[in-house]
Amino acid sequence: EKAIFKDREEVYPEDDLPVGRFYEPPKEKDLDDPDILSYIPEQLNYVPASKESYFFISDEDPYRIFHILNDKTQGHFSIHGEVTSALDYMLNFLGYENALMGMMTYPDTCKAILQKFTDGVVEMARGLCSQDIDAIKISSPFAGMGFISPELYREFELPYISQIVKAIHQAGKYSYIHTCGSINDRLEMMSESGAAGMECLDPPPIGNVELEEAFERIGDDMFIKGNIDSVNVLLEASDDDLQQDILSRLKTGMKYKGFILSTACSIAPNVKAQRIQLITEIAKKYGQYSQ
């Protein structure tokens, strides 16, 4: 179904997330433009979910979803908010190729853009912290090895995501970082952000993080949430293979403190609900820490 708004249209597939499109796609910005920062709004009212897909935030009641969830769950579940890293906003704002090239050719301009988006994300996070939630996920899917080097991560991601983490913790909530794909070469840098935890830790072949190694390297500094393969195991494996994978994750994770069993990355729309229920049942049966 298609919903038409005054500034955009959104398409709602039956089995996937809504896809939002502007009538006129955002124009690629010129990094030579001395007024480039003026195009960034002081208050962010959207999330750049992925290329040409946007989640818009209601001006009238931006926290309505939390009121609904708290009313329905009555405190029985942990409820989390989410913000998106400044790097994602910059990639969307400049265009992906333009932004990646700009880090090398216009580093100071890119840092100014990142700081202005960071200021907006910090304000968004502070608003979320005013709600009855337990933690905030900081989504930064483009900060992995497939897009930027460790050197660029330290220069163009770490200083800005650390500001968001600090603001969340100062407001009395926990934070954790979500970065998809291969992140094995930057686990320690991610922990330097001060975030309380990390996901997805995608295992091979969709990523390159082994659970035991991750605990040995950063387990003393962060909780670890993951890392069932969302494609090859959760979506495509047999029930028996899924069960063995879950048991293997539990066996590894429960040797350490601060393990949260979950899928590595997002759950595909075609995964049957019973598969998710199986994870819950096995975790309840075998996932209890001994005293």
Side-chain angles (χ1 to χ4, degrees):
E1 295 185 12
K2 182 184 292 186
I4 299 176
F5 300 84
K6 63 181 180 180
D7 60 345
R8 68 189 189 278
E9 64 183 38
E10 293 185 1
V11 179
Y12 292 82
E14 291 183 359
D15 63 349
D16 208 337
L17 295 170
V19 179
R21 294 185 183 276
F22 286 101
Y23 287 120
E24 292 186 20
K27 295 179 181 178
E28 188 172 284
K29 307 298 188 300
D30 184 353
L31 283 159
D32 276 326
D33 187 342
D35 298 321
I36 193 167
L37 293 180
S38 67
Y39 305 132
I40 301 173
E42 297 296 330
Q43 182 175 355
L44 299 176
N45 67 345
Y46 69 99
V47 175
S50 62
K51 192 175 188 303
E52 296 185 1
S53 180
Y54 301 80
F55 294 154
F56 291 91
I57 300 167
S58 166
D59 292 329
E60 296 178 1
D61 191 0
Y63 310 118
R64 176 172 172 264
I65 183 62
F66 299 113
H67 306 154
I68 294 171
L69 289 172
N70 280 302
D71 182 61
K72 288 184 176 294
T73 61
Q74 295 294 308
H76 292 296
F77 296 94
S78 178
I79 295 176
H80 298 186
E82 179 177 353
V83 295
T84 299
S85 74
L87 179 63
D88 272 50
Y89 280 97
M90 184 179 76
L91 288 168
N92 173 264
F93 175 70
L94 294 176
Y96 290 76
E97 183 177 353
N98 193 32
L100 291 170
M101 291 295 293
M103 292 183 204
M104 308 299 295
T105 56
Y106 293 88
D108 291 340
T109 301
C110 285
K111 289 175 184 177
I113 292 169
L114 285 167
Q115 186 57 59
K116 186 160 185 181
F117 275 122
T118 297
D119 294 342
V121 176
V122 163
E123 288 307 308
M124 189 182 293
R126 286 173 175 156
L128 285 173
C129 288
S130 69
Q131 301 303 298
D132 185 14
I133 60 176
D134 301 296
I136 295 178
K137 177 176 85 172
I138 306 171
S139 181
S140 190
F142 294 102
M145 292 170 63
F147 289 92
I148 58 175
S149 68
E151 293 78 14
L152 290 179
Y153 185 96
R154 181 170 292 281
E155 186 173 1
F156 293 97
E157 168 79 338
L158 184 59
Y160 306 99
I161 205 166
S162 298
Q163 294 178 49
I164 302 168
V165 167
K166 183 178 180 181
I168 293 169
H169 291 189
Q170 286 178 337
K173 303 293 184 182
Y174 293 101
S175 69
Y176 58 101
I177 297 173
H178 171 112
T179 298
C180 316
S182 299
I183 57 172
N184 185 62
D185 68 345
R186 59 202 64 195
L187 292 176
E188 284 81 6
M189 276 192 288
M190 294 174 76
S191 73
E192 288 178 33
S193 68
M198 186 191 305
E199 65 171 27
C200 326
L201 297 103
D202 289 305
I206 58 173
N208 66 351
V209 180
E210 298 289 358
L211 192 58
E212 184 129 26
E213 181 187 358
F215 270 110
E216 290 173 352
R217 288 169 58 185
I218 62 169
D220 288 336
D221 301 316
M222 312 179 83
F223 72 74
I224 287 177
K225 182 174 177 289
N227 70 333
I228 301 167
D229 184 328
S230 298
V231 178
N232 300 289
V233 175
L234 187 64
L235 178 63
E236 298 182 350
S238 67
D239 285 349
D240 287 342
D241 287 344
L242 172 59
Q243 180 165 332
Q244 290 306 310
D245 190 87
I246 297 167
L247 290 171
S248 174
R249 306 294 164 194
L250 285 173
K251 182 179 179 181
T252 299
M254 290 176 65
K255 292 192 297 184
Y256 304 91
K257 65 180 182 179
F259 176 56
I260 300 174
L261 176 71
S262 78
T263 60
C265 200
S266 301
I267 299 171
N270 290 332
V271 173
K272 292 180 172 58
Q274 293 87 338
R275 307 272 281 182
I276 310 303
Q277 186 62 36
L278 180 63
I279 299 175
T280 304
E281 291 170 358
I282 294 174
K284 286 182 177 179
K285 186 174 182 179
Y286 299 104
Q288 303 297 321
Y289 281 99
S290 58
Q291 297 295 325

